[in-house]
Every structure is written in C-alpha cells, then in structure tokens.
Amino acid sequence: MGTYYMSIAIVVLSNLFYHVFQKSIPQQFNPFISLVITYITAIVFSLILFPFYNTNITLAEHFRLSLWPSVALGFAIVGLEIGFLLAYRAGWDISIAAVFSNISVAIFLLPVGLLIYKENFTKTNFVGVILCIIGLVLVKR
C-alpha cells in the first residue's frame, strides 16, 4: 500500500513543480531550446536512476518491449510541454490552466478506460464526473 500512495505523491509533487517551472520560463526564451535543455536533464537523471530500479530483463528486452509506446509518449510529452508553455505565455493563470486541462483530460479518458481497458464505472464515479464538468464550466467563467 505504501507504493500505491507514494507513487501518486510523486505525481502530485512533480506536477506542482512542473507548472511552477513552466510558468517561470522567460517569455523571450525559445520554447524548443527550453525543451532540449529539459530533456537533456531528464535523460541524465533517468540514466542515473536506471540501476536502482531492478527488473529481471535485459536492457535490449526493455527496448523491444516498450519502444513504440515510449516513442509515442515522447511526441505526447513534447505536445504537453509546448502546450502548457504557450498557454502560460498566452495568459492562462497557473491556478486555472492545470485544473482546466486535468479535468478535461479526465473526462476524455473516461471512455478510454471503459472501452479499451474495461475499467469499472460506479454511480459514485458518475457523480464525480458530473461535478468535474460543473467545475470545468465554473473555472472558466
């Protein structure tokens, strides 16, 4: 159970810093150079951490198993990074942009979870989604 909560705590904390740092990138700084610096840092950090996450498969097997999803994820991350950077430069408030985008993503992921991953959807989940939609409308007013 510790990993369950620790993993989401890492997501929340990292997401918090992500938005603060995205909003802090100077307006005149080329967003693509920012991405290059960001991903060089991410590569170095990942290579440092790699040996500490033990699995029973080889590095070659890692590439075989996850090459296409990792490449696709790379495209999605670049879109995410540029999208937030441009949103902040266009005037979105840091307090609203993440809320708006995360609720929107959650709503779009609902059919993906139900149809592709066969996840369960309860009455409580339905009420939560309705409240999220109401919140989305209220946040953008």
Side-chain angles (χ1 to χ4, degrees), residues 83-107:
F84 270 115
L85 186 55
L86 296 176
Y88 290 139
R89 287 183 178 183
W92 278 80
D93 293 334
I94 195 170
S95 58
I96 300 300
V99 171
F100 187 86
S101 66
N102 286 328
I103 291 171
S104 299
V105 168
I107 291 167

mmCIF file of all heavy atoms in Angstrom, residues 83-107:
data_model
loop_
_atom_site.group_PDB
_atom_site.id
_atom_site.type_symbol
_atom_site.label_atom_id
_atom_site.label_comp_id
_atom_site.label_asym_id
_atom_site.label_seq_id
_atom_site.Cartn_x
_atom_site.Cartn_y
_atom_site.Cartn_z
ATOM 1 N N GLY A 83 2.430 22.928 -25.196
ATOM 2 C CA GLY A 83 1.072 23.420 -24.945
ATOM 3 C C GLY A 83 0.986 24.236 -23.671
ATOM 4 O O GLY A 83 0.419 25.344 -23.670
ATOM 5 N N PHE A 84 1.532 23.730 -22.578
ATOM 6 C CA PHE A 84 1.491 24.496 -21.330
ATOM 7 C C PHE A 84 2.340 25.758 -21.413
ATOM 8 O O PHE A 84 1.926 26.821 -20.960
ATOM 9 C CB PHE A 84 1.937 23.646 -20.133
ATOM 10 C CG PHE A 84 0.800 22.921 -19.480
ATOM 11 C CD1 PHE A 84 0.750 21.539 -19.498
ATOM 12 C CD2 PHE A 84 -0.222 23.618 -18.852
ATOM 13 C CE1 PHE A 84 -0.306 20.868 -18.891
ATOM 14 C CE2 PHE A 84 -1.280 22.953 -18.249
ATOM 15 C CZ PHE A 84 -1.319 21.574 -18.272
ATOM 16 N N LEU A 85 3.519 25.657 -22.011
ATOM 17 C CA LEU A 85 4.367 26.837 -22.118
ATOM 18 C C LEU A 85 3.666 27.935 -22.917
ATOM 19 O O LEU A 85 3.631 29.100 -22.502
ATOM 20 C CB LEU A 85 5.705 26.465 -22.763
ATOM 21 C CG LEU A 85 6.762 27.554 -22.832
ATOM 22 C CD1 LEU A 85 7.060 28.141 -21.455
ATOM 23 C CD2 LEU A 85 8.032 27.011 -23.440
ATOM 24 N N LEU A 86 3.059 27.551 -24.035
ATOM 25 C CA LEU A 86 2.341 28.536 -24.849
ATOM 26 C C LEU A 86 1.076 29.035 -24.153
ATOM 27 O O LEU A 86 0.707 30.206 -24.291
ATOM 28 C CB LEU A 86 2.024 27.956 -26.230
ATOM 29 C CG LEU A 86 3.239 27.624 -27.096
ATOM 30 C CD1 LEU A 86 2.800 26.972 -28.409
ATOM 31 C CD2 LEU A 86 4.106 28.846 -27.347
ATOM 32 N N ALA A 87 0.406 28.154 -23.408
ATOM 33 C CA ALA A 87 -0.789 28.579 -22.668
ATOM 34 C C ALA A 87 -0.422 29.639 -21.632
ATOM 35 O O ALA A 87 -1.117 30.655 -21.496
ATOM 36 C CB ALA A 87 -1.456 27.375 -21.993
ATOM 37 N N TYR A 88 0.665 29.418 -20.909
ATOM 38 C CA TYR A 88 1.092 30.413 -19.909
ATOM 39 C C TYR A 88 1.519 31.708 -20.578
ATOM 40 O O TYR A 88 1.209 32.790 -20.097
ATOM 41 C CB TYR A 88 2.210 29.847 -19.027
ATOM 42 C CG TYR A 88 1.727 28.768 -18.084
ATOM 43 C CD1 TYR A 88 2.486 27.632 -17.868
ATOM 44 C CD2 TYR A 88 0.503 28.880 -17.439
ATOM 45 C CE1 TYR A 88 2.045 26.632 -17.006
ATOM 46 C CE2 TYR A 88 0.050 27.881 -16.583
ATOM 47 C CZ TYR A 88 0.831 26.764 -16.366
ATOM 48 O OH TYR A 88 0.381 25.793 -15.527
ATOM 49 N N ARG A 89 2.193 31.601 -21.704
ATOM 50 C CA ARG A 89 2.599 32.815 -22.434
ATOM 51 C C ARG A 89 1.383 33.542 -23.007
ATOM 52 O O ARG A 89 1.416 34.747 -23.194
ATOM 53 C CB ARG A 89 3.573 32.463 -23.551
ATOM 54 C CG ARG A 89 4.931 32.099 -23.012
ATOM 55 C CD ARG A 89 5.917 31.830 -24.102
ATOM 56 N NE ARG A 89 7.231 31.540 -23.533
ATOM 57 C CZ ARG A 89 8.302 31.331 -24.254
ATOM 58 N NH1 ARG A 89 8.249 31.368 -25.573
ATOM 59 N NH2 ARG A 89 9.453 31.072 -23.659
ATOM 60 N N ALA A 90 0.321 32.803 -23.297
ATOM 61 C CA ALA A 90 -0.898 33.422 -23.830
ATOM 62 C C ALA A 90 -1.751 34.051 -22.738
ATOM 63 O O ALA A 90 -2.747 34.698 -23.032
ATOM 64 C CB ALA A 90 -1.714 32.385 -24.593
ATOM 65 N N GLY A 91 -1.369 33.839 -21.477
ATOM 66 C CA GLY A 91 -2.081 34.498 -20.395
ATOM 67 C C GLY A 91 -2.874 33.613 -19.458
ATOM 68 O O GLY A 91 -3.530 34.114 -18.544
ATOM 69 N N TRP A 92 -2.839 32.302 -19.664
ATOM 70 C CA TRP A 92 -3.549 31.428 -18.726
ATOM 71 C C TRP A 92 -2.922 31.561 -17.347
ATOM 72 O O TRP A 92 -1.702 31.604 -17.209
ATOM 73 C CB TRP A 92 -3.447 29.970 -19.166
ATOM 74 C CG TRP A 92 -4.447 29.579 -20.216
ATOM 75 C CD1 TRP A 92 -4.352 29.826 -21.556
ATOM 76 C CD2 TRP A 92 -5.666 28.873 -20.012
ATOM 77 N NE1 TRP A 92 -5.442 29.304 -22.200
ATOM 78 C CE2 TRP A 92 -6.267 28.715 -21.272
ATOM 79 C CE3 TRP A 92 -6.295 28.356 -18.896
ATOM 80 C CZ2 TRP A 92 -7.481 28.064 -21.447
ATOM 81 C CZ3 TRP A 92 -7.509 27.702 -19.068
ATOM 82 C CH2 TRP A 92 -8.087 27.558 -20.325
ATOM 83 N N ASP A 93 -3.751 31.618 -16.334
ATOM 84 C CA ASP A 93 -3.272 31.642 -14.954
ATOM 85 C C ASP A 93 -2.800 30.247 -14.561
ATOM 86 O O ASP A 93 -3.420 29.244 -14.933
ATOM 87 C CB ASP A 93 -4.375 32.071 -13.988
ATOM 88 C CG ASP A 93 -4.789 33.523 -14.173
ATOM 89 O OD1 ASP A 93 -3.953 34.318 -14.651
ATOM 90 O OD2 ASP A 93 -5.941 33.847 -13.838
ATOM 91 N N ILE A 94 -1.734 30.190 -13.772
ATOM 92 C CA ILE A 94 -1.206 28.905 -13.321
ATOM 93 C C ILE A 94 -2.240 28.168 -12.469
ATOM 94 O O ILE A 94 -2.302 26.949 -12.464
ATOM 95 C CB ILE A 94 0.139 29.091 -12.565
ATOM 96 C CG1 ILE A 94 0.859 27.753 -12.412
ATOM 97 C CG2 ILE A 94 -0.065 29.785 -11.242
ATOM 98 C CD1 ILE A 94 2.291 27.885 -11.909
ATOM 99 N N SER A 95 -3.078 28.926 -11.780
ATOM 100 C CA SER A 95 -4.086 28.323 -10.901
ATOM 101 C C SER A 95 -5.265 27.737 -11.680
ATOM 102 O O SER A 95 -6.025 26.938 -11.140
ATOM 103 C CB SER A 95 -4.598 29.361 -9.903
ATOM 104 O OG SER A 95 -5.144 30.472 -10.593
ATOM 105 N N ILE A 96 -5.409 28.103 -12.938
ATOM 106 C CA ILE A 96 -6.551 27.638 -13.729
ATOM 107 C C ILE A 96 -6.141 26.665 -14.835
ATOM 108 O O ILE A 96 -6.841 25.685 -15.089
ATOM 109 C CB ILE A 96 -7.294 28.848 -14.357
ATOM 110 C CG1 ILE A 96 -7.817 29.784 -13.276
ATOM 111 C CG2 ILE A 96 -8.415 28.389 -15.274
ATOM 112 C CD1 ILE A 96 -8.798 29.149 -12.319
ATOM 113 N N ALA A 97 -5.018 26.890 -15.486
ATOM 114 C CA ALA A 97 -4.623 26.075 -16.646
ATOM 115 C C ALA A 97 -4.541 24.591 -16.301
ATOM 116 O O ALA A 97 -5.082 23.750 -17.027
ATOM 117 C CB ALA A 97 -3.287 26.566 -17.209
ATOM 118 N N ALA A 98 -3.886 24.259 -15.197
ATOM 119 C CA ALA A 98 -3.736 22.847 -14.827
ATOM 120 C C ALA A 98 -5.073 22.232 -14.453
ATOM 121 O O ALA A 98 -5.366 21.095 -14.843
ATOM 122 C CB ALA A 98 -2.740 22.707 -13.677
ATOM 123 N N VAL A 99 -5.874 22.971 -13.717
ATOM 124 C CA VAL A 99 -7.196 22.457 -13.319
ATOM 125 C C VAL A 99 -8.039 22.191 -14.561
ATOM 126 O O VAL A 99 -8.620 21.117 -14.730
ATOM 127 C CB VAL A 99 -7.914 23.447 -12.375
ATOM 128 C CG1 VAL A 99 -9.351 23.027 -12.134
ATOM 129 C CG2 VAL A 99 -7.165 23.585 -11.065
ATOM 130 N N PHE A 100 -8.090 23.179 -15.452
ATOM 131 C CA PHE A 100 -8.880 23.056 -16.669
ATOM 132 C C PHE A 100 -8.409 21.882 -17.520
ATOM 133 O O PHE A 100 -9.207 21.046 -17.958
ATOM 134 C CB PHE A 100 -8.808 24.361 -17.471
ATOM 135 C CG PHE A 100 -9.730 24.390 -18.646
ATOM 136 C CD1 PHE A 100 -11.047 24.803 -18.495
ATOM 137 C CD2 PHE A 100 -9.297 24.007 -19.907
ATOM 138 C CE1 PHE A 100 -11.913 24.826 -19.581
ATOM 139 C CE2 PHE A 100 -10.147 24.021 -20.988
ATOM 140 C CZ PHE A 100 -11.458 24.434 -20.829
ATOM 141 N N SER A 101 -7.106 21.784 -17.733
ATOM 142 C CA SER A 101 -6.590 20.709 -18.591
ATOM 143 C C SER A 101 -6.752 19.339 -17.942
ATOM 144 O O SER A 101 -7.126 18.377 -18.622
ATOM 145 C CB SER A 101 -5.130 20.961 -18.962
ATOM 146 O OG SER A 101 -4.306 20.882 -17.826
ATOM 147 N N ASN A 102 -6.496 19.234 -16.645
ATOM 148 C CA ASN A 102 -6.600 17.931 -15.985
ATOM 149 C C ASN A 102 -8.035 17.414 -15.925
ATOM 150 O O ASN A 102 -8.271 16.221 -16.112
ATOM 151 C CB ASN A 102 -5.980 17.980 -14.591
ATOM 152 C CG ASN A 102 -4.478 18.006 -14.638
ATOM 153 O OD1 ASN A 102 -3.865 17.438 -15.522
ATOM 154 N ND2 ASN A 102 -3.864 18.678 -13.683
ATOM 155 N N ILE A 103 -8.981 18.296 -15.687
ATOM 156 C CA ILE A 103 -10.382 17.867 -15.693
ATOM 157 C C ILE A 103 -10.789 17.456 -17.107
ATOM 158 O O ILE A 103 -11.448 16.431 -17.297
ATOM 159 C CB ILE A 103 -11.310 18.973 -15.145
ATOM 160 C CG1 ILE A 103 -11.071 19.169 -13.645
ATOM 161 C CG2 ILE A 103 -12.774 18.632 -15.398
ATOM 162 C CD1 ILE A 103 -11.779 20.382 -13.057
ATOM 163 N N SER A 104 -10.367 18.239 -18.096
ATOM 164 C CA SER A 104 -10.689 17.900 -19.486
ATOM 165 C C SER A 104 -10.106 16.543 -19.858
ATOM 166 O O SER A 104 -10.789 15.708 -20.460
ATOM 167 C CB SER A 104 -10.145 18.973 -20.433
ATOM 168 O OG SER A 104 -10.728 20.220 -20.159
ATOM 169 N N VAL A 105 -8.849 16.307 -19.512
ATOM 170 C CA VAL A 105 -8.206 15.027 -19.813
ATOM 171 C C VAL A 105 -8.943 13.885 -19.119
ATOM 172 O O VAL A 105 -9.189 12.830 -19.723
ATOM 173 C CB VAL A 105 -6.713 15.055 -19.411
ATOM 174 C CG1 VAL A 105 -6.118 13.651 -19.447
ATOM 175 C CG2 VAL A 105 -5.936 15.989 -20.315
ATOM 176 N N ALA A 106 -9.309 14.091 -17.859
ATOM 177 C CA ALA A 106 -10.021 13.043 -17.113
ATOM 178 C C ALA A 106 -11.335 12.685 -17.807
ATOM 179 O O ALA A 106 -11.683 11.501 -17.915
ATOM 180 C CB ALA A 106 -10.280 13.499 -15.681
ATOM 181 N N ILE A 107 -12.028 13.673 -18.304
ATOM 182 C CA ILE A 107 -13.295 13.419 -18.994
ATOM 183 C C ILE A 107 -13.051 12.656 -20.302
ATOM 184 O O ILE A 107 -13.759 11.705 -20.626
ATOM 185 C CB ILE A 107 -14.059 14.739 -19.230
ATOM 186 C CG1 ILE A 107 -14.544 15.289 -17.879
ATOM 187 C CG2 ILE A 107 -15.229 14.536 -20.193
ATOM 188 C CD1 ILE A 107 -15.040 16.710 -17.922
#
